[in-house]
PDB file of all heavy atoms in Angstrom:
ATOM      1  N   GLY A   1      61.318 -11.188 192.390  1.00 93.00           N
ATOM      2  CA  GLY A   1      61.385 -11.763 190.963  1.00 93.00           C
ATOM      3  C   GLY A   1      60.058 -12.272 190.481  1.00 93.00           C
ATOM      4  O   GLY A   1      60.008 -12.917 189.399  1.00 93.00           O
ATOM      5  N   THR A   2      59.004 -12.333 191.274  1.00 95.00           N
ATOM      6  CA  THR A   2      57.732 -12.780 190.787  1.00 95.00           C
ATOM      7  C   THR A   2      56.800 -11.629 190.626  1.00 95.00           C
ATOM      8  O   THR A   2      57.006 -10.486 191.204  1.00 95.00           O
ATOM      9  CB  THR A   2      57.152 -13.766 191.801  1.00 95.00           C
ATOM     10  OG1 THR A   2      56.761 -13.160 193.057  1.00 95.00           O
ATOM     11  CG2 THR A   2      58.043 -15.020 192.085  1.00 95.00           C
ATOM     12  N   ASN A   3      55.690 -11.860 189.894  1.00 96.00           N
ATOM     13  CA  ASN A   3      54.816 -10.771 189.561  1.00 96.00           C
ATOM     14  C   ASN A   3      53.360 -11.151 189.947  1.00 96.00           C
ATOM     15  O   ASN A   3      53.042 -12.319 190.201  1.00 96.00           O
ATOM     16  CB  ASN A   3      54.807 -10.549 188.026  1.00 96.00           C
ATOM     17  CG  ASN A   3      56.187 -10.033 187.654  1.00 96.00           C
ATOM     18  OD1 ASN A   3      56.867  -9.189 188.274  1.00 96.00           O
ATOM     19  ND2 ASN A   3      56.714 -10.544 186.556  1.00 96.00           N
ATOM     20  N   VAL A   4      52.471 -10.141 189.924  1.00 97.00           N
ATOM     21  CA  VAL A   4      51.092 -10.375 190.190  1.00 97.00           C
ATOM     22  C   VAL A   4      50.258  -9.532 189.134  1.00 97.00           C
ATOM     23  O   VAL A   4      50.891  -8.693 188.490  1.00 97.00           O
ATOM     24  CB  VAL A   4      50.682  -9.838 191.596  1.00 97.00           C
ATOM     25  CG1 VAL A   4      51.300 -10.643 192.706  1.00 97.00           C
ATOM     26  CG2 VAL A   4      50.993  -8.363 191.722  1.00 97.00           C
ATOM     27  N   LEU A   5      48.989  -9.803 188.940  1.00 97.00           N
ATOM     28  CA  LEU A   5      48.086  -8.884 188.288  1.00 97.00           C
ATOM     29  C   LEU A   5      47.450  -8.086 189.286  1.00 97.00           C
ATOM     30  O   LEU A   5      46.821  -8.544 190.233  1.00 97.00           O
ATOM     31  CB  LEU A   5      47.079  -9.691 187.456  1.00 97.00           C
ATOM     32  CG  LEU A   5      47.625 -10.505 186.244  1.00 97.00           C
ATOM     33  CD1 LEU A   5      46.440 -11.163 185.460  1.00 97.00           C
ATOM     34  CD2 LEU A   5      48.506  -9.592 185.325  1.00 97.00           C
ATOM     35  N   SER A   6      47.553  -6.783 189.127  1.00 98.00           N
ATOM     36  CA  SER A   6      47.059  -5.831 190.149  1.00 98.00           C
ATOM     37  C   SER A   6      45.928  -5.018 189.478  1.00 98.00           C
ATOM     38  O   SER A   6      45.929  -4.680 188.401  1.00 98.00           O
ATOM     39  CB  SER A   6      48.177  -4.692 190.513  1.00 98.00           C
ATOM     40  OG  SER A   6      49.189  -5.468 191.265  1.00 98.00           O
ATOM     41  N   ILE A   7      45.030  -4.695 190.433  1.00 98.00           N
ATOM     42  CA  ILE A   7      43.903  -3.772 190.168  1.00 98.00           C
ATOM     43  C   ILE A   7      44.104  -2.677 191.187  1.00 98.00           C
ATOM     44  O   ILE A   7      44.051  -3.016 192.432  1.00 98.00           O
ATOM     45  CB  ILE A   7      42.563  -4.386 190.247  1.00 98.00           C
ATOM     46  CG1 ILE A   7      42.455  -5.598 189.252  1.00 98.00           C
ATOM     47  CG2 ILE A   7      41.459  -3.343 190.017  1.00 98.00           C
ATOM     48  CD1 ILE A   7      41.174  -6.403 189.482  1.00 98.00           C
ATOM     49  N   VAL A   8      44.232  -1.411 190.756  1.00 98.00           N
ATOM     50  CA  VAL A   8      44.378  -0.308 191.649  1.00 98.00           C
ATOM     51  C   VAL A   8      43.267   0.747 191.361  1.00 98.00           C
ATOM     52  O   VAL A   8      43.038   1.109 190.258  1.00 98.00           O
ATOM     53  CB  VAL A   8      45.811   0.381 191.536  1.00 98.00           C
ATOM     54  CG1 VAL A   8      45.976   1.537 192.441  1.00 98.00           C
ATOM     55  CG2 VAL A   8      46.885  -0.638 191.647  1.00 98.00           C
ATOM     56  N   VAL A   9      42.546   1.033 192.427  1.00 98.00           N
ATOM     57  CA  VAL A   9      41.380   1.947 192.353  1.00 98.00           C
ATOM     58  C   VAL A   9      41.603   3.010 193.341  1.00 98.00           C
ATOM     59  O   VAL A   9      41.664   2.827 194.532  1.00 98.00           O
ATOM     60  CB  VAL A   9      40.036   1.259 192.509  1.00 98.00           C
ATOM     61  CG1 VAL A   9      38.942   2.309 192.224  1.00 98.00           C
ATOM     62  CG2 VAL A   9      39.813   0.095 191.616  1.00 98.00           C
ATOM     63  N   GLU A  10      41.712   4.345 192.875  1.00 98.00           N
ATOM     64  CA  GLU A  10      41.781   5.448 193.710  1.00 98.00           C
ATOM     65  C   GLU A  10      40.426   6.179 193.697  1.00 98.00           C
ATOM     66  O   GLU A  10      39.899   6.479 192.739  1.00 98.00           O
ATOM     67  CB  GLU A  10      42.854   6.432 193.235  1.00 98.00           C
ATOM     68  CG  GLU A  10      43.115   7.588 194.137  1.00 98.00           C
ATOM     69  CD  GLU A  10      44.294   8.437 193.805  1.00 98.00           C
ATOM     70  OE1 GLU A  10      45.285   7.963 193.177  1.00 98.00           O
ATOM     71  OE2 GLU A  10      44.242   9.639 194.051  1.00 98.00           O
ATOM     72  N   VAL A  11      39.876   6.334 195.004  1.00 98.00           N
ATOM     73  CA  VAL A  11      38.524   6.882 195.174  1.00 98.00           C
ATOM     74  C   VAL A  11      38.601   8.097 196.041  1.00 98.00           C
ATOM     75  O   VAL A  11      39.174   8.056 197.174  1.00 98.00           O
ATOM     76  CB  VAL A  11      37.690   5.755 195.771  1.00 98.00           C
ATOM     77  CG1 VAL A  11      36.288   6.306 196.037  1.00 98.00           C
ATOM     78  CG2 VAL A  11      37.667   4.510 194.953  1.00 98.00           C
ATOM     79  N   PRO A  12      37.821   9.121 195.673  1.00 98.00           N
ATOM     80  CA  PRO A  12      37.731  10.288 196.617  1.00 98.00           C
ATOM     81  C   PRO A  12      37.008   9.811 197.839  1.00 98.00           C
ATOM     82  O   PRO A  12      36.013   9.062 197.726  1.00 98.00           O
ATOM     83  CB  PRO A  12      36.798  11.251 195.782  1.00 98.00           C
ATOM     84  CG  PRO A  12      37.095  10.899 194.355  1.00 98.00           C
ATOM     85  CD  PRO A  12      37.278   9.378 194.299  1.00 98.00           C
ATOM     86  N   LYS A  13      37.441  10.277 198.944  1.00 97.00           N
ATOM     87  CA  LYS A  13      36.874   9.817 200.241  1.00 97.00           C
ATOM     88  C   LYS A  13      35.442  10.267 200.365  1.00 97.00           C
ATOM     89  O   LYS A  13      34.618   9.622 201.065  1.00 97.00           O
ATOM     90  CB  LYS A  13      37.636  10.473 201.455  1.00 97.00           C
ATOM     91  CG  LYS A  13      39.050   9.884 201.667  1.00 97.00           C
ATOM     92  CD  LYS A  13      39.692  10.573 202.857  1.00 97.00           C
ATOM     93  CE  LYS A  13      41.124  10.119 202.972  1.00 97.00           C
ATOM     94  NZ  LYS A  13      41.788  10.882 204.048  1.00 97.00           N
ATOM     95  N   THR A  14      35.050  11.358 199.639  1.00 96.00           N
ATOM     96  CA  THR A  14      33.637  11.814 199.701  1.00 96.00           C
ATOM     97  C   THR A  14      32.668  10.811 199.159  1.00 96.00           C
ATOM     98  O   THR A  14      31.480  10.752 199.578  1.00 96.00           O
ATOM     99  CB  THR A  14      33.467  13.113 198.874  1.00 96.00           C
ATOM    100  OG1 THR A  14      33.927  12.895 197.564  1.00 96.00           O
ATOM    101  CG2 THR A  14      34.246  14.229 199.598  1.00 96.00           C
ATOM    102  N   LEU A  15      33.147   9.842 198.365  1.00 97.00           N
ATOM    103  CA  LEU A  15      32.261   8.788 197.788  1.00 97.00           C
ATOM    104  C   LEU A  15      32.113   7.577 198.759  1.00 97.00           C
ATOM    105  O   LEU A  15      31.447   6.646 198.429  1.00 97.00           O
ATOM    106  CB  LEU A  15      32.827   8.313 196.460  1.00 97.00           C
ATOM    107  CG  LEU A  15      32.977   9.408 195.379  1.00 97.00           C
ATOM    108  CD1 LEU A  15      33.575   8.783 194.118  1.00 97.00           C
ATOM    109  CD2 LEU A  15      31.580   9.973 194.998  1.00 97.00           C
ATOM    110  N   LEU A  16      32.898   7.596 199.902  1.00 96.00           N
ATOM    111  CA  LEU A  16      32.861   6.510 200.804  1.00 96.00           C
ATOM    112  C   LEU A  16      31.993   6.727 202.093  1.00 96.00           C
ATOM    113  O   LEU A  16      31.987   5.858 202.992  1.00 96.00           O
ATOM    114  CB  LEU A  16      34.332   6.158 201.182  1.00 96.00           C
ATOM    115  CG  LEU A  16      35.264   5.832 199.970  1.00 96.00           C
ATOM    116  CD1 LEU A  16      36.649   5.634 200.446  1.00 96.00           C
ATOM    117  CD2 LEU A  16      34.730   4.524 199.285  1.00 96.00           C
ATOM    118  N   GLY A  17      31.334   7.789 202.116  1.00 92.00           N
ATOM    119  CA  GLY A  17      30.636   8.138 203.317  1.00 92.00           C
ATOM    120  C   GLY A  17      31.410   8.964 204.278  1.00 92.00           C
ATOM    121  O   GLY A  17      32.541   9.254 204.006  1.00 92.00           O
ATOM    122  N   GLY A  18      30.861   9.352 205.404  1.00 88.00           N
ATOM    123  CA  GLY A  18      31.501  10.258 206.316  1.00 88.00           C
ATOM    124  C   GLY A  18      32.270   9.590 207.481  1.00 88.00           C
ATOM    125  O   GLY A  18      32.706  10.292 208.402  1.00 88.00           O
ATOM    126  N   ALA A  19      32.404   8.199 207.426  1.00 92.00           N
ATOM    127  CA  ALA A  19      32.981   7.515 208.591  1.00 92.00           C
ATOM    128  C   ALA A  19      34.438   7.878 208.706  1.00 92.00           C
ATOM    129  O   ALA A  19      35.204   7.991 207.760  1.00 92.00           O
ATOM    130  CB  ALA A  19      32.833   6.003 208.345  1.00 92.00           C
ATOM    131  N   ALA A  20      34.870   8.035 209.998  1.00 92.00           N
ATOM    132  CA  ALA A  20      36.318   8.213 210.212  1.00 92.00           C
ATOM    133  C   ALA A  20      37.138   7.006 210.073  1.00 92.00           C
ATOM    134  O   ALA A  20      38.352   7.035 209.809  1.00 92.00           O
ATOM    135  CB  ALA A  20      36.468   8.798 211.691  1.00 92.00           C
ATOM    136  N   LYS A  21      36.481   5.833 210.269  1.00 95.00           N
ATOM    137  CA  LYS A  21      37.178   4.611 210.082  1.00 95.00           C
ATOM    138  C   LYS A  21      36.338   3.651 209.210  1.00 95.00           C
ATOM    139  O   LYS A  21      35.077   3.557 209.385  1.00 95.00           O
ATOM    140  CB  LYS A  21      37.309   3.917 211.509  1.00 95.00           C
ATOM    141  CG  LYS A  21      37.985   2.606 211.475  1.00 95.00           C
ATOM    142  CD  LYS A  21      38.062   2.021 212.903  1.00 95.00           C
ATOM    143  CE  LYS A  21      38.544   0.605 212.937  1.00 95.00           C
ATOM    144  NZ  LYS A  21      38.513  -0.031 214.228  1.00 95.00           N
ATOM    145  N   ILE A  22      37.021   2.846 208.326  1.00 97.00           N
ATOM    146  CA  ILE A  22      36.276   1.885 207.481  1.00 97.00           C
ATOM    147  C   ILE A  22      37.014   0.574 207.652  1.00 97.00           C
ATOM    148  O   ILE A  22      38.198   0.484 207.945  1.00 97.00           O
ATOM    149  CB  ILE A  22      36.203   2.284 206.022  1.00 97.00           C
ATOM    150  CG1 ILE A  22      37.574   2.409 205.414  1.00 97.00           C
ATOM    151  CG2 ILE A  22      35.368   3.574 205.800  1.00 97.00           C
ATOM    152  CD1 ILE A  22      37.590   2.656 203.897  1.00 97.00           C
ATOM    153  N   ASN A  23      36.265  -0.500 207.451  1.00 98.00           N
ATOM    154  CA  ASN A  23      36.794  -1.850 207.316  1.00 98.00           C
ATOM    155  C   ASN A  23      36.664  -2.256 205.920  1.00 98.00           C
ATOM    156  O   ASN A  23      35.683  -1.970 205.201  1.00 98.00           O
ATOM    157  CB  ASN A  23      36.081  -2.775 208.211  1.00 98.00           C
ATOM    158  CG  ASN A  23      36.100  -2.443 209.675  1.00 98.00           C
ATOM    159  OD1 ASN A  23      37.207  -2.191 210.221  1.00 98.00           O
ATOM    160  ND2 ASN A  23      34.925  -2.271 210.304  1.00 98.00           N
ATOM    161  N   VAL A  24      37.698  -2.906 205.339  1.00 98.00           N
ATOM    162  CA  VAL A  24      37.722  -3.264 203.900  1.00 98.00           C
ATOM    163  C   VAL A  24      38.174  -4.751 203.803  1.00 98.00           C
ATOM    164  O   VAL A  24      39.109  -5.101 204.467  1.00 98.00           O
ATOM    165  CB  VAL A  24      38.647  -2.384 203.161  1.00 98.00           C
ATOM    166  CG1 VAL A  24      38.689  -2.718 201.630  1.00 98.00           C
ATOM    167  CG2 VAL A  24      38.273  -0.873 203.287  1.00 98.00           C
ATOM    168  N   TRP A  25      37.581  -5.518 202.946  1.00 98.00           N
ATOM    169  CA  TRP A  25      37.969  -6.813 202.521  1.00 98.00           C
ATOM    170  C   TRP A  25      37.707  -6.900 201.008  1.00 98.00           C
ATOM    171  O   TRP A  25      36.901  -6.280 200.455  1.00 98.00           O
ATOM    172  CB  TRP A  25      37.361  -7.899 203.367  1.00 98.00           C
ATOM    173  CG  TRP A  25      35.849  -8.052 203.333  1.00 98.00           C
ATOM    174  CD1 TRP A  25      35.181  -9.007 202.609  1.00 98.00           C
ATOM    175  CD2 TRP A  25      34.905  -7.251 204.042  1.00 98.00           C
ATOM    176  NE1 TRP A  25      33.805  -8.808 202.773  1.00 98.00           N
ATOM    177  CE2 TRP A  25      33.569  -7.761 203.609  1.00 98.00           C
ATOM    178  CE3 TRP A  25      34.982  -6.264 204.941  1.00 98.00           C
ATOM    179  CZ2 TRP A  25      32.370  -7.252 204.109  1.00 98.00           C
ATOM    180  CZ3 TRP A  25      33.753  -5.704 205.420  1.00 98.00           C
ATOM    181  CH2 TRP A  25      32.574  -6.261 204.950  1.00 98.00           C
ATOM    182  N   VAL A  26      38.427  -7.917 200.425  1.00 98.00           N
ATOM    183  CA  VAL A  26      38.306  -8.138 199.004  1.00 98.00           C
ATOM    184  C   VAL A  26      37.860  -9.518 198.801  1.00 98.00           C
ATOM    185  O   VAL A  26      38.214 -10.476 199.545  1.00 98.00           O
ATOM    186  CB  VAL A  26      39.569  -7.767 198.254  1.00 98.00           C
ATOM    187  CG1 VAL A  26      40.649  -8.741 198.567  1.00 98.00           C
ATOM    188  CG2 VAL A  26      39.318  -7.584 196.714  1.00 98.00           C
ATOM    189  N   GLU A  27      37.027  -9.650 197.706  1.00 97.00           N
ATOM    190  CA  GLU A  27      36.544 -11.046 197.337  1.00 97.00           C
ATOM    191  C   GLU A  27      36.666 -11.164 195.795  1.00 97.00           C
ATOM    192  O   GLU A  27      36.500 -10.156 195.114  1.00 97.00           O
ATOM    193  CB  GLU A  27      35.062 -11.263 197.723  1.00 97.00           C
ATOM    194  CG  GLU A  27      34.825 -11.248 199.298  1.00 97.00           C
ATOM    195  CD  GLU A  27      33.324 -11.368 199.611  1.00 97.00           C
ATOM    196  OE1 GLU A  27      32.617 -10.352 199.290  1.00 97.00           O
ATOM    197  OE2 GLU A  27      32.909 -12.432 199.976  1.00 97.00           O
ATOM    198  N   THR A  28      36.825 -12.441 195.358  1.00 95.00           N
ATOM    199  CA  THR A  28      36.752 -12.713 194.021  1.00 95.00           C
ATOM    200  C   THR A  28      35.476 -13.457 193.838  1.00 95.00           C
ATOM    201  O   THR A  28      35.297 -14.517 194.598  1.00 95.00           O
ATOM    202  CB  THR A  28      37.924 -13.467 193.417  1.00 95.00           C
ATOM    203  OG1 THR A  28      38.014 -14.660 194.246  1.00 95.00           O
ATOM    204  CG2 THR A  28      39.201 -12.694 193.501  1.00 95.00           C
ATOM    205  N   LYS A  29      34.647 -13.095 192.880  1.00 94.00           N
ATOM    206  CA  LYS A  29      33.341 -13.842 192.680  1.00 94.00           C
ATOM    207  C   LYS A  29      33.239 -14.219 191.299  1.00 94.00           C
ATOM    208  O   LYS A  29      33.177 -13.433 190.355  1.00 94.00           O
ATOM    209  CB  LYS A  29      32.204 -12.957 193.100  1.00 94.00           C
ATOM    210  CG  LYS A  29      32.267 -12.589 194.682  1.00 94.00           C
ATOM    211  CD  LYS A  29      31.094 -11.889 195.197  1.00 94.00           C
ATOM    212  CE  LYS A  29      31.221 -11.744 196.644  1.00 94.00           C
ATOM    213  NZ  LYS A  29      30.089 -11.024 197.291  1.00 94.00           N
TER     214      LYS A  29
END
C-alpha cells in the first residue's frame, strides 16, 4: 500500500563493455 518514485533505465549490453560480470551501485548526488 505504499509507493515509491522509480527511475527505470533499460540499456543494451553492448553499451556496458564486454565484461561477463558487472558490479552496480546507485548514488544520489
Side-chain angles (χ1 to χ4, degrees):
T2 64
N3 298 315
V4 295
L5 289 184
S6 290
I7 301 169
V8 181
V9 183
E10 183 174 329
V11 179
K13 290 179 186 177
T14 56
L15 300 177
L16 302 174
K21 178 182 171 184
I22 62 172
N23 299 306
V24 180
W25 63 100
V26 69
E27 296 177 288
T28 57
K29 297 190 174 178

